[in-house]
């Protein structure tokens, strides 16, 4: 991606970049696997531990981190107040496109084969389309269509997701 229009070194501008903050919130591999499990309906510590084969101390640490960052909410179970559930928050659900994009990237570049199970549209059971970067008017964008720009040089309103 070109950096046409940037007058300051990218390193200085990167201090305000949201990518390091996002990576800090998610942590590492186990956090993504816990999130995948939560998207697939797991809610309890024992379910996560059994399904993922993760050490209890690591799981406890990662769950606490995801709760601290507001990605999961820790709440008492409705049927047994002594048990705890971990539920995705709105912030956690907003990570779905990221998770799908990473999965698709892994299929294409790392495993070089379709993941199993296959991610499909519940309505017609067809595979979901590849996640793409889209323009404000819905056009798919390639790397040649993108450039970094300073906020004062950007036309239009902030996206609803940011505003």
């Amino acid at each position: 991606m070109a950096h046409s229009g940037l007058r300051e070194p990218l390193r200085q501008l990167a201090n305000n970049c949201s990518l390091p903050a996002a990576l800090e919130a998610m942590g590492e591999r186990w956090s993504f696997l816990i999130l995948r499990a939560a998207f697939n309906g797991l809610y309890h510590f024992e379910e996560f531990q059994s399904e993922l084969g993760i050490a209890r101390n690591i799981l406890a640490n990662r769950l606490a981190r995801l709760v601290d960052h507001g990605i999961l909410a820790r709440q008492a179970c409705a049927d047994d107040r002594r048990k705890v559930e971990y539920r995705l928050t709105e912030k956690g659900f907003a990570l779905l496109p990221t998770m799908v994009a990473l999965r698709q990237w892994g299929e294409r570049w790392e495993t070089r084969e379709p993941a199993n199970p296959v991610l499909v549209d519940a309505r017609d059971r067809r595979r979901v389309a590849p996640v793409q970067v889209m323009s404000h008017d819905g056009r798919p964008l390639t790397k040649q269509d993108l450039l970094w720009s300073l906020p004062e040089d950007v036309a239009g309103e902030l996206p609803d997701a940011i505003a």
Side-chain angles (χ1 to χ4, degrees):
M1 289 182 281
H3 52 70
S4 172
L6 290 181
R7 295 179 293 275
E8 300 177 51
L10 191 55
R11 179 179 284 175
Q12 289 175 339
L13 292 172
N15 290 336
N16 295 325
C17 180
S18 55
L19 184 59
L23 293 172
E24 177 64 29
M26 284 304 296
E28 43 61 75
R29 174 181 184 256
W30 285 118
S31 295
F32 283 98
L33 295 176
I34 291 166
L35 190 61
R36 180 189 66 184
F39 276 117
N40 285 293
L42 273 61
Y43 306 119
H44 304 284
F45 186 97
E46 298 300 330
E47 291 174 321
F48 289 118
Q49 203 276 322
S50 174
E51 184 72 23
L52 300 175
I54 182 174
R56 296 178 72 80
N57 62 325
I58 295 173
L59 176 58
N61 176 281
R62 297 315 181 270
L63 287 170
R65 175 190 208 103
L66 293 168
V67 168
D68 288 347
H69 282 279
I71 295 166
L72 293 176
R74 187 178 192 273
Q75 58 195 47
C77 291
D79 59 340
D80 185 348
R81 310 283 294 157
R82 295 170 295 168
K83 292 184 179 179
V84 172
E85 292 182 337
Y86 294 90
R87 297 282 184 153
L88 287 162
T89 63
E90 182 180 354
K91 182 177 179 180
F93 277 113
L95 283 164
L96 181 59
T98 303
M99 298 293 292
V100 172
L102 277 171
R103 187 175 198 256
Q104 290 173 346
W105 181 88
E107 287 176 328
R108 180 172 180 190
W109 299 103
E110 295 301 314
T111 64
R112 299 191 189 284
E113 58 187 53
N116 189 8
V118 177
L119 190 59
V120 299
D121 182 335
R123 186 181 65 186
D124 58 15
R125 301 192 59 81
R126 295 184 63 132
R127 289 180 185 268
V128 298
V131 175
Q132 294 183 295
V133 177
M134 307 294 276
S135 70
H136 66 92
D137 61 3
R139 291 174 293 116
L141 300 174
T142 67
K143 62 185 176 196
Q144 290 80 19
D145 298 316
L146 302 172
L147 63 88
W148 297 108
S149 182
L150 296 171
E152 59 268 19
D153 297 330
V154 176
E157 300 293 319
L158 280 175
D160 290 338
I162 299 172

